[in-house]
Amino acid sequence: PEAARRAIDAERLRLVCRQTVRAPLGVLVAAGFITVMMAPHVGAAAAWGWCAAAVGLWSLRAAVAARLLAQPPAGEHVGRWIRVLVAAATASGAVAGSSAWVFFDAPPLEWALMTMVLCAWSAGGIAVSAALPAAFYGLVTLFLAPLSIGWLATEMPLRVPVAGLLLFFLFYLIISARDGAALVARALRVGFENLTRVADFQLEN
């Protein structure tokens, strides 16, 4: 059982790393769009500083993931690296979610556009974290919860319904990620069990 658990965790880690190395390009596009849009309203230093932090952290995660793919950790270290990736994903969510405060003084149209981009960005995190749902839970919560609070703190029309919709979207994404992760986990278990049966059959014959 312990060997099976380690093998499945190693495969989960590999799947997450494969998706993570592809993420920075999309992050660059999303963060760049928000930055260019918001810079005239909050100042170039604040806007580009936020962009650099967001893209830099995602790029660092991608670099670590690439290293783990090139040199997979030993079985006893897989759990530790999973915890590192979960913490890094949560930090990425916190940086991206800080946009609600960095760009708080932006006009309503820019706020609405930023909300659309952040919702799409957070939804894309499901694909990155399908094999490791804990990484997605922290990321998406810190993405969308500050944005919902930010809407409530503004004086914009419909701020209460929009804040409520954002929280509903957050809940929906978490449920979707949980269900997707359950399917991935089941597929990994079945695959490992099949390999074990094949190996046992070959030994018997």
Side-chain angles (χ1 to χ4, degrees):
E2 179 64 22
R5 185 188 64 79
R6 284 187 175 181
I8 291 173
D9 283 348
E11 183 63 14
R12 291 168 63 213
L13 180 65
R14 188 183 70 83
L15 290 174
V16 170
C17 288
R18 284 182 59 188
Q19 295 297 328
T20 301
V21 296
R22 302 169 183 166
L25 179 59
V27 172
L28 178 62
V29 172
F33 175 81
I34 292 174
T35 299
V36 171
M37 178 177 62
M38 293 298 193
H41 306 289
V42 303
W48 287 106
W50 172 84
C51 183
V55 175
L57 184 51
W58 280 78
S59 298
L60 178 60
R61 289 173 58 198
V64 171
R67 178 66 181 271
L68 291 174
L69 287 173
Q71 299 179 8
E76 63 270 20
H77 299 311
V78 168
R80 182 183 67 186
W81 279 109
I82 285 177
R83 291 190 293 273
V84 169
L85 293 186
V86 169
T90 303
S92 290
V95 172
S98 68
S99 58
W101 317 123
V102 175
F103 305 127
F104 184 78
D105 294 326
L109 176 60
E110 281 74 5
W111 251 89
L113 290 172
M114 180 181 72
T115 299
M116 293 172 58
V117 173
L118 289 177
C119 285
W121 184 351
S122 60
I126 291 180
V128 176
S129 306
L132 195 61
F136 181 73
Y137 298 155
L139 181 145
V140 74
T141 298
L142 293 178
F143 246 91
L144 296 180
L147 191 61
S148 179
I149 296 171
W151 270 92
L152 286 176
T154 68
E155 297 297 327
M156 288 184 276
L158 301 177
R159 61 186 181 276
V160 174
V162 171
L165 284 172
L166 287 170
L167 291 178
F168 173 79
F169 188 53
L170 169 60
F171 174 77
Y172 179 81
L173 288 178
I174 288 175
I175 295 299
S176 298
R178 184 198 64 184
D179 292 344
L183 290 175
V184 171
R186 188 177 303 117
L188 290 176
R189 285 196 300 271
V190 170
F192 184 81
E193 290 169 0
N194 289 339
L195 289 174
T196 302
R197 291 192 187 100
V198 170
D200 291 342
F201 177 79
Q202 290 174 340
L203 288 174
E204 291 172 359
N205 295 273

